[in-house]
Amino acid sequence: MKIARFNGGRIGVVVGDRIHDVTDACGVDPAEWPPMGMITTIAAFDELRPGIERDLGLSVGLPVADVALETPIPWPHKLLALPNNYRAHTAEMGNNSIDAGNAGFFMKSSASLSGPSDAVVLPERPGRNFHHECELAIVVGRAGRKIALDDALDYIFGYACLIDVTMRGKEERVMRKSFDTFCPVGPWITTADEVGPTDDLVLRLWVNGELKQQAPVSEMVVGIREAIVLCSAVTTLQPGDIIASGTMSGVGPIVPGDSVRIAIEKVGEMTIPIVADEPVTV
Ligand code: MN
């Protein structure tokens, strides 16, 4: 199932090129604050699923192209991320001795999340440039700590495309990756049962139509199950938590006016415009 957030906090299921509104079946108030509706939907998904499927069957739906898709989980408890998780990217960054296998994870502000209809807004930072990082987002389905490798897949709700936009420079990593809009996620969450085996999934990213990054999930240093083990060894995972699983080689600069497209087989694809921020005036 492909579950989206759209038109101001509504919950929808995407089938083909149409989206079906299942907000009521999920018990979600689109106007709620904070916007937790997708998280409560994920947490109770097994119980909600029959009602969602019933409403889905009764709905004519809307063309996906006619709605504004939003970042699926705007208010997660945590946005975790793996560094240097493909050997070829580790080499291109000159960090041959460091990878996610021994460096663990870092955190990116969940306030950086943006959606498939949003632009990435680059701030004015003299002497700094900004890179795209093509990543698979792992969406956690239920709470867990110290999760065993054999159990890890039971804790995954689904997957989405994620661009870990990064300012290169000497500042703290968490700040360089946490500007507002620096984490496009979407276009929806595709549930793990629909995605099926992940090893052969290929992630791709283009800038202005030119392919820049491409690799299968199987080339990750820390695999999907291992990422659940690694993160949950430290912190209790919660439904709706997002793990950015790291990028492959081919990262490079993006500038205002660019268009970045990310696609992951069986998961989805989205195209994000890059714009310049308004100058700060004080
Ligand atoms: Mn990254």
Side-chain angles (χ1 to χ4, degrees):
M1 192 177 281
K2 295 180 171 66
I3 304 179
R5 220 170 133 266
F6 72 106
N7 288 3
R10 308 200 69 81
I11 308 294
V13 174
V14 175
V15 181
D17 59 1
R18 298 185 82 79
I19 185 166
H20 302 267
D21 194 325
V22 295
T23 308
D24 291 345
C26 296
V28 169
D29 171 9
E32 68 182 353
W33 188 90
M36 305 289 284
M38 184 65 87
I39 294 175
T40 54
T41 296
I42 289 169
F45 191 69
D46 289 347
E47 300 90 83
L48 294 172
R49 189 162 190 158
I52 292 171
E53 288 176 343
R54 185 187 57 237
D55 282 9
L56 183 59
L58 296 171
S59 156
V60 177
L62 297 164
V64 176
D66 288 354
V67 305
L69 293 172
E70 294 159 353
T71 199
I73 306 167
W75 203 275
H77 186 253
K78 293 181 287 299
L79 173 53
L80 305 162
L82 302 182
N84 306 314
N85 201 21
Y86 292 77
R87 294 192 201 287
H89 172 58
T90 302
E92 79 180 347
M93 299 305 288
N95 294 332
N96 284 311
S97 64
I98 302 172
D99 66 37
N102 54 35
F105 64 82
F106 63 93
M107 299 193 71
K108 188 171 164 93
S109 170
S110 50
S112 67
L113 287 161
S114 58
S117 306
D118 302 323
V120 166
V121 181
L122 300 181
E124 178 69 29
R125 290 272 163 169
R128 293 289 178 264
N129 58 26
F130 301 90
H131 279 193
H132 55 80
E133 295 189 355
C134 172
E135 308 199 12
L136 174 76
I138 303 167
V139 177
V140 174
R142 59 192 181 99
R145 176 90 204 279
K146 300 178 183 171
I147 298 166
L149 189 64
D150 287 346
D151 299 331
L153 294 180
D154 297 340
Y155 288 82
I156 297 176
F157 178 74
Y159 303 96
C161 302
L162 183 152
I163 305 172
D164 176 16
V165 181
T166 303
M167 181 173 81
R168 299 296 178 205
K170 293 182 174 164
E171 296 84 354
E172 289 283 353
R173 174 156 53 191
V174 68
M175 190 190 93
R176 292 187 289 105
K177 290 175 175 280
S178 289
F179 290 92
D180 280 6
T181 75
F182 269 30
C183 197
V185 173
W188 40 68
I189 304 165
T190 304
T191 53
D193 61 335
E194 180 160 325
V195 172
T198 52
D199 275 359
D200 294 333
L201 291 186
V202 176
L203 293 74
R204 294 185 178 88
L205 182 144
W206 298 257
V207 178
N208 303 329
E210 184 180 340
L211 184 64
K212 296 288 190 182
Q213 294 188 269
Q214 172 173 246
V217 165
S218 58
E219 289 184 11
M220 288 180 182
V221 176
V222 175
I224 291 172
R225 293 186 307 149
E226 289 83 357
I228 295 287
V229 172
L230 186 158
C231 294
S232 75
V234 175
T235 182
T236 301
L237 297 178
Q238 297 291 347
D241 280 359
I242 298 169
I243 302 171
S245 55
T247 201
M248 67 290 303
S249 62
V251 301
I254 48 176
V255 297
D258 284 347
S259 174
V260 178
R261 176 176 165 228
I262 181 172
I264 303 176
E265 294 171 343
K266 297 187 182 176
V267 174
E269 68 171 83
M270 57 184 184
T271 301
I272 304 293
I274 311 299
V275 304
D277 200 1
E278 304 280 324
V280 177
T281 52
V282 285

